[in-house]
Amino acid sequence: MYRYLLRKKGYCVLFAVLLVTSGVAGPLFSLIMSALVDCAGRNAEELFRTLLGGIGYAVIYNILALSYRCMKTWILTDARYSLKRDIFAAIMNRSVADFDAGSSAEYMNELSNNLNQFENVYWGNHLHLLECLMSFIAAAAICISLQPLLLVLMLFLALLSMGVTRLTTSPLEKSMESFANSAEAYTGEIRDDFAGFRLVRSFGILSLILRKHDNKNRAMETANRQNTNCRMVCAYAGNFVGLLSTVLVMAMASYFSLKGMFSAGTVIAFGHLIGQIISPIESMPSIVANFRAARPLKKRFRHLLGGNITSRNLLTQAGKNDSTEEEPDTFFPKSNGFREEIILDELSFRYGENINDEYPMAENYPTESDNPPRQENLSREVLRNLSFRFRAGQHYAVIGKSGCGKSTLLFLLLGYYPNYSGSIRYDGVELRELTREYLGNTVAYVSQDTFLFQDTIQNNITLYHEEYTLQEINAALKQAGLKELVDSLPEGLSTMVEENGKNFSGGEKQRLSLARALLGKSRILLLDEFTANLDKETAERIEAQVMGLKDCLVITVTHRLTPDMHSRYDGILDLTQAGNFSF
């Protein structure tokens, strides 16, 4: 993880220069103090020259120290930005099954609380260690030049500090990990409570929710208190070593002064140097403790990043990099995308065991909903030996009782879960060999539960692509039955969508989702109960619009297949009656 501090070599060299110069300048100031004290009893002219030199030195030292602090802040800020970018890219680059193995609360906690902790106990600790070493080396060099016997005392103090460190830091790593876990649990708690606000009020369970929140809150604060106590023990152990070192060094300096080996100014210089020597020794227990506390955080971040994956690799995989290299062992058709058919051959899929084998951290598995509940030890087969052929340009309905695998089939066609048996072939190419870019450009998905970004209507429809013209956007809105609504809004396409689309009805959100799918002109359109929140008249009008698409393979999951609509489909896939399909 230290590579994030060394991303830009030029700035690192400048930082190193400022670290050395400012680190040496501090202890050297003790010689200015010594010279000023030794001017006592001499002429005023010498005192004045020494005073001017001291003032000039103080100005230069503060400029160097300020420059160093600014460069340190810049390096830490850049490192935090880069790691946050990489972690976010790594999370978003996961497969759906791997993403579902965690939770949004966990991911938010990693990008906020844990990352801030990591900056302090790992990166900041590295730089603090360098500062302490530079200060100690410079001050020790000056002390040794004045009296070599002080080297023996310094070695003794260093060994004493190491011993105290070993005794006081062992519990800190566990307390840090416990605090990180409890903070993650608390973040998940408040996320769920806020998301379920209406449910809480509807069922009158506020007192129960407050009690549940209080338990998680108390657990987190207890873990925080224990972690803070461990830190304080380490800090005060270091403080004891520092005070002891001050007494011993000053006693030795006074002894040498009594022997006539030091002037009064030199004793004062030792009084200043002792702080430069003792402070690093005093800090060692806390520095070592922070490094130990950073281990669980470092392990978590490495797991999220997937080992040695760099941000460039992640952005390339996500299609955000200017590199033209393809992902290894994948296929990206160079022609105009999907042309002929999708073939399912002996397709089987089981929730639970397969996902658990590939994703051992999985605690929840998808169901027929887009937002599946957490379930433990769930293992059930939802598709078994399914064979079917979807031909380009035709329309198909997928029907069956609840839980028979209708939505799961769409998820598999989208490439969400690669751990199926049998095969899914797009124009003869196995789905697992296709890139995410190919699937994203070829397949559009409209679900019953629509997610909308907290952004403008236009950005929610275009999904931040800038190549669409206003005419194309309006045409998609018209097909989705939204043109009149958008035109009636004062700000039109620039109207802001509030959090989770709460300023739009369920049906309007579904139509926004359909508009974004139609705008992309994808060759394959997957619809999952996409008219469930619409009134009958609007649903029939929009279904007629979709059924009129001639250059697009449309696969619709539906519970309400009227006789009139039945005749419009080229094929019906009934998952309840395995093997009995009508054409």
Side-chain angles (χ1 to χ4, degrees):
M1 291 293 180
Y2 63 86
R3 62 186 172 85
Y4 286 98
L5 296 174
L6 305 175
R7 282 193 338 114
K8 300 186 178 180
K9 305 303 181 185
Y11 289 101
C12 290
V13 171
L14 178 58
F15 172 80
V17 171
L18 290 172
L19 171 66
V20 172
T21 53
S22 62
V24 171
L28 283 177
F29 191 72
S30 61
L31 300 182
I32 301 293
M33 297 174 62
S34 175
L36 285 170
V37 173
D38 286 340
C39 284
R42 300 179 185 176
N43 59 70
E45 183 178 351
E46 183 178 353
L47 175 61
F48 183 70
R49 286 198 303 269
T50 306
L51 176 61
L52 289 179
I55 293 174
Y57 189 88
V59 171
I60 294 172
Y61 169 67
N62 275 278
I63 291 175
L64 289 172
L66 177 61
S67 300
Y68 168 73
R69 293 296 173 185
C70 290
M71 183 56 63
K72 176 182 177 180
T73 300
W74 189 94
I75 287 178
L76 285 173
T77 301
D78 183 68
R80 185 173 62 247
Y81 156 78
S82 300
L83 179 58
K84 190 185 298 183
R85 177 196 61 193
D86 287 359
I87 291 175
F88 182 77
I91 293 172
M92 297 301 291
N93 197 53
R94 288 181 164 191
S95 69
V96 173
D98 202 6
F99 182 86
D100 287 344
S103 66
S104 57
E106 173 190 346
Y107 301 139
M108 288 188 290
N109 188 59
E110 300 294 356
L111 288 167
S112 54
N113 295 336
N114 286 352
L115 195 141
N116 291 334
Q117 287 273 4
F118 187 75
E119 177 189 353
N120 293 327
V121 300
Y122 189 74
W123 290 329
N125 210 43
H126 269 95
L127 301 185
H128 184 46
L129 175 62
L130 293 176
E131 293 167 3
C132 290
L133 288 175
M134 187 54 58
S135 175
F136 181 84
I137 291 171
I142 295 173
C143 287
I144 292 171
S145 66
L146 297 175
Q147 179 49 255
L149 288 177
L150 287 174
L151 176 62
V152 177
L153 177 59
M154 291 176 187
L155 290 175
F156 167 74
L157 294 175
L159 292 174
L160 177 63
S161 177
M162 291 174 61
V164 172
T165 298
R166 291 181 63 87
L167 290 174
T168 58
T169 59
S170 56
L172 188 60
E173 183 177 345
K174 291 182 179 180
S175 68
M176 174 62 75
E177 185 171 8
S178 175
F179 174 61
N181 291 335
S182 60
E184 176 186 321
Y186 179 70
T187 303
E189 171 66 26
I190 58 177
R191 178 184 60 82
D192 284 348
D193 293 344
F194 289 153
F197 178 80
R198 293 179 183 274
L199 177 69
V200 172
R201 299 306 298 265
S202 299
F203 284 84
I205 56 173
L206 179 59
S207 60
L208 300 177
I209 296 301
L210 291 177
R211 186 187 310 161
K212 185 162 69 81
H213 168 270
D214 188 60
N215 291 337
K216 293 290 177 64
N217 183 22
R218 186 178 299 278
M220 188 189 79
E221 294 305 326
T222 299
N224 186 29
R225 185 185 71 248
Q226 292 171 348
N227 180 251
T228 302
N229 288 340
C230 288
R231 288 178 179 276
M232 285 193 297
V233 169
C234 293
Y236 278 97
N239 187 52
F240 166 74
V241 175
L243 292 175
L244 179 62
S245 301
T246 300
V247 171
L248 294 176
V249 172
M250 288 304 295
M252 181 168 285
S254 299
Y255 173 79
F256 288 128
S257 179
L258 289 175
K259 293 294 184 178
M261 300 171 65
F262 287 166
S263 65
T266 303
V267 174
I268 297 298
F270 266 107
H272 180 262
L273 285 171
I274 191 62
Q276 305 291 331
I277 294 174
I278 299 308
S279 180
I281 295 176
E282 188 180 73
S283 299
M284 277 302 112
S286 294
I287 290 175
V288 174
N290 283 336
F291 279 131
R292 297 190 64 165
R295 288 179 186 173
L297 297 176
K298 188 176 178 181
K299 183 178 179 181
R300 293 167 76 100
F301 289 153
R302 280 182 171 171
H303 171 73
L304 284 173
L305 292 172
N308 295 320
I309 295 179
T310 64
S311 61
R312 183 177 180 85
N313 296 136
L314 291 169
L315 293 174
T316 299
Q317 293 174 19
K320 302 295 184 182
N321 197 278
D322 57 3
S323 171
T324 58
E325 296 181 2
E326 298 174 7
E327 295 180 36
D329 302 322
T330 56
F331 175 79
F332 195 105
K334 300 299 183 182
S335 61
N336 295 324
F338 180 73
R339 302 181 304 278
E340 298 178 1
E341 61 188 5
I342 299 175
I343 297 178
L344 312 180
D345 187 11
E346 298 294 321
L347 176 65
S348 298
F349 182 74
R350 176 183 295 275
Y351 283 124
E353 291 181 358
N354 290 343
I355 292 180
N356 234 8
D357 292 340
E358 188 171 356
Y359 307 100
M361 292 180 64
E363 296 177 359
N364 61 303
Y365 309 106
T367 63
E368 290 291 292
S369 167
D370 284 337
N371 300 299
R374 283 187 174 274
Q375 303 181 50
E376 295 183 359
N377 301 320
L378 174 63
S379 176
R380 62 186 181 90
E381 189 175 53
V382 291
L383 294 174
R384 182 177 184 183
N385 298 329
L386 175 63
S387 296
F388 199 78
R389 184 189 305 267
F390 298 103
R391 294 184 174 89
Q394 297 191 352
H395 300 168
Y396 297 86
V398 180
I399 62 175
K401 64 182 181 180
S402 179
C404 68
K406 300 184 299 298
S407 294
T408 298
L409 176 60
L410 298 191
F411 294 154
L412 293 175
L413 293 175
L414 287 162
Y416 284 0
Y417 305 111
N419 49 310
Y420 55 82
S421 60
S423 69
I424 304 173
R425 297 193 298 277
Y426 280 66
D427 289 338
V429 180
E430 168 59 40
L431 173 64
R432 296 185 186 94
E433 299 177 6
L434 296 171
T435 62
R436 295 182 186 179
E437 289 79 9
Y438 173 77
L439 290 173
N441 293 329
T442 305
V443 186
Y445 173 59
V446 181
S447 67
Q448 179 178 352
D449 300 319
T450 300
F451 173 79
L452 297 176
F453 290 101
Q454 195 170 342
D455 208 321
T456 64
I457 291 178
Q458 179 166 331
N459 284 338
N460 269 285
I461 294 174
T462 64
L463 293 180
Y464 303 97
H465 290 291
E466 299 178 355
E467 65 269 20
Y468 296 118
T469 65
L470 184 60
Q471 183 179 2
E472 290 175 318
I473 296 173
N474 285 329
L477 287 172
K478 186 176 181 180
Q479 282 184 297
L482 276 176
K483 187 68 169 62
E484 292 182 3
L485 171 65
V486 174
D487 288 343
S488 68
L489 298 173
E491 298 183 27
L493 287 170
S494 298
T495 301
M496 288 295 297
V497 177
E498 296 179 9
E499 182 183 3
N500 202 27
K502 62 184 180 182
N503 53 334
F504 291 91
S505 68
E508 290 167 346
K509 289 193 289 185
Q510 274 192 308
R511 282 181 281 171
L512 283 170
S513 177
L514 178 61
R516 71 167 59 136
L518 295 172
L519 180 63
K521 297 181 174 62
S522 300
R523 300 300 304 277
I524 302 171
L525 186 59
L526 306 181
L527 307 174
D528 192 353
E529 297 288 350
F530 75 109
T531 60
N533 295 321
L534 303 179
D535 61 85
K536 182 179 179 181
E537 181 181 350
T538 303
E540 289 178 352
R541 184 172 68 251
I542 293 177
E543 285 174 350
Q545 289 271 10
V546 172
M547 298 302 290
L549 298 173
K550 299 302 183 184
D551 58 347
C552 178
L553 165 60
V554 179
I555 303 175
T556 303
V557 166
T558 181
H559 279 98
R560 57 181 190 186
L561 189 62
T562 64
D564 178 57
M565 292 300 296
H566 190 287
S567 62
R568 298 185 186 183
Y569 285 103
D570 299 293
I572 307 296
L573 173 55
D574 187 350
L575 295 183
T576 305
Q577 302 174 16
N580 297 324
F581 310 129
S582 60
F583 295 88

